[in-house]
Amino acid sequence: MGIIDKKVSLRNRGKLLLGVYEDEDQLMTAAKKLAGHGIPVLDVYTPYPIHGLDRIIGVKRTNLTVIAFLCGLTGFSLATLMIWYMNVHDWPMIVGNKPLVFATSWIPVMFESTVLCTAFGMAFFFFWRNRLAHGIQPELLDDRQTDDRMIVVVEAEHANAEEVMSIYRSTGAVETRERVGGVQTTIK
Amino acid sequence: MAHLDSHAVEITKEQFTVPGKAKMLALGTLIIGAVLTIIGVFTLPADSHDKHASNGGVVKVATVANPQDTGAKTDAAHTATVPGHGTDSAAPHAAAAAGHGHDAGHGHGDAHAADPNLIVDNAGHVTLLPKPTHKDPAHAKPAMTRFWANLLVNGYFFLVISIAALFFVAVNYIANAGWSAAIKRVPEAMYTFIPVGLVAVLAVIIFARYDIYHWAHYEHLNPAKGSADYDKILAGKSGFLNSNFLIVGTILFVSIYYLFGLKLRSLSAQEDNTQKGDTSFFRKMTRFSAAFTVIYGFSISVLAWLLIMSIDAHWYSTIFGVYNFATAWVTSLTLICCFVLFLRSAGYLKIVSDEHIHDLGKFMFAFSIFWTYIWLSQLLLIWYAQIPEEVAYYYDRFNDPQFKIQFFANLVMNFIAPFLILMTRNNKRNPITLGIVAVILLIGHWNDVYLMVMPGSIGSAAQIGVLEVGMFLFFLGLFVYWVLQALTKRSLIAVNHPYIEESAYHDVGP
């Protein structure tokens, strides 16, 4: 799994099968049924987090922690390099009879730099990965997915469209749709 | 929670009986520890200090830039007196034993305010001369002092761990925490050890305070103002540092904690026998917890000043209370994690999942960093500022090779090891890695307390020997046995805790 999650983007995808729900429990039933039939769920869009749904649709653990570690390491190395260059290499400076190289006095700078780089690095990677930068057109499937509708998305190439639609209907979806190239059509 | 029925769990009372093996192991550790302690006590050097004798009482004299310095003069006089003592170490001890004789040659003259042990030359180089009070053979303490100092290390260590377990219970109540409801009987059992720790500490401060605490010795001598032995600093602190307050304060604070603990334990037991859904006990416990947290927050610092910081009576550090709390808190979390892992492996605590273990692992990880933050804050500020009366504390720990190794082992065992090992998620959920880190942290923080006590109390007579290992094992075995027994007293699952279901389904996602 790459650092950038391709899953979050809906661009450049084939036919998508959407099931729109109004009820959390019906959505959970549908997700379980799809999983039971071995149909991979691309994603579920909900206005609020639903406890346990992530495990059912097989959301993988985030890799943001790897980024955090790498950013921290970068910050630590940069701080070490900076202090070494400034205080040891370029302009050796002894303050208060303290040792010149790798003194305890380096620790606060190293610590702060590590924390700074980790925090900023994680924030930037999080925004990049989730396409949350300012000005990016949001990919909403339905305006009400941020309000009171929940949408299950399955890619048609990985599943039988009829089977998916029948699962949607049998579990109480208020609407079933197809989405091809950004255009949605309601399927009765 | 209906949709989580795929891993539904049943919340029932669990009655714990100590498995035979665990009992044998705890008692075995206790007995081996006791035997080693006794061996250690009987093999103590006969009231003389090997290291002092082998050094021949040579005091390292640092180069002094300014010979007019008063410190240099004091030092010259000092070195002149030392070799005489080095050849015959028994005589000065006899003097010391017979009423803690205070040698006028290196007492607490008025010059102490200027600290004759510190020499600051024109270039700003600070040189600390060894403190006569602890390094000098004339001040040799009875060999048994090492036993008492060890008792203080272990008694205090396990006392503050137990109190921190009570703090864990309280802090989870006032934070309205749900996840910890499933494991709360473990810290509840752990703080039953408070009386034992108190007895150990009281034994030290009642029977051996003159040898351990420099100021108690001074209080005992009570030199008149203006006399050669008069010490302005110790006299000024006598309103706080006096034997009465040491003993009464320790008993008072610890008793208050324990009474709160007993109250919380009794409410918790009553809650088990009520109807499900009755939150009155929970509310009461939240109130008691809030009161306890306030009292604990203030008085645990005072306890640390009284019992530990006052060993180096001329020195003080305003962060010392927090530093001691950090040590106690992270060790307590480590031991809670160990007991939970043990109970799970023995087939109990069925509602405790990897998620709870993960949370405890996060706690160990986070508070190891917290400890390091506090530890470094104290060290860094003193190291930077280099104010003589502050540096003296670290001088003692850096000047002795053994303490120096232990000092840096502190950083490795209590920060670098847990930080690197527990960084990944899998390691925080893996009983084996958690167990390894737990052992490192337990020994590491014992080492931390050892370093707080030993340099100031027995100085270079300190070493890690049979006595030290034995007494640590004794206390560890006793603690584990005691807690396991306390765990059998009631159901391991607080079935009527309002958050027990939330705890049973505790899940933070993939």
Side-chain angles (χ1 to χ4, degrees), chain B residues 368-389:
Chain B
S368 290
I369 298 171
F370 175 72
W371 174 88
T372 316
Y373 198 102
I374 305 298
W375 183 80
L376 264 178
S377 297
Q378 181 177 298
L379 169 65
L380 263 183
L381 293 191
I382 291 175
W383 182 83
Y384 258 126
Q386 206 151 327
I387 299 169
E389 64 261 33

Side-chain angles (χ1 to χ4, degrees), chain A residues 24-25 28 32 50-52 54-56 59-62 69 96-99 103-108 111-112, chain B residues 1-5 124-126 355 369 373 376 379-380 383-386 423 425 429 505 507-510:
Chain A
E24 175 186 328
D25 282 340
M28 290 295 275
K32 272 181 207 161
I50 296 173
H51 201 64
D54 41 10
R55 289 204 196 273
I56 294 167
V59 173
K60 291 220 179 68
R61 190 173 127 76
T62 174
F69 181 74
N97 195 26
K98 298 294 191 287
T104 321
S105 53
W106 292 23
I107 291 175
F111 172 76
E112 292 298 340
Chain B
M1 293 291 166
H3 43 257
L4 278 176
D5 53 18
H125 294 243
V126 175
E355 300 289 332
I369 298 171
Y373 198 102
L376 264 178
L379 169 65
L380 263 183
W383 182 83
Y384 258 126
Q386 206 151 327
M423 195 185 273
R425 180 178 188 261
R429 298 168 82 95
Y505 290 104
D507 183 5
V508 290

Side-chain angles (χ1 to χ4, degrees), chain B residues 381-400:
Chain B
L381 293 191
I382 291 175
W383 182 83
Y384 258 126
Q386 206 151 327
I387 299 169
E389 64 261 33
E390 289 181 350
V391 176
Y393 182 79
Y394 286 106
Y395 181 84
D396 282 350
R397 280 144 188 85
F398 274 71
N399 198 37
D400 185 307

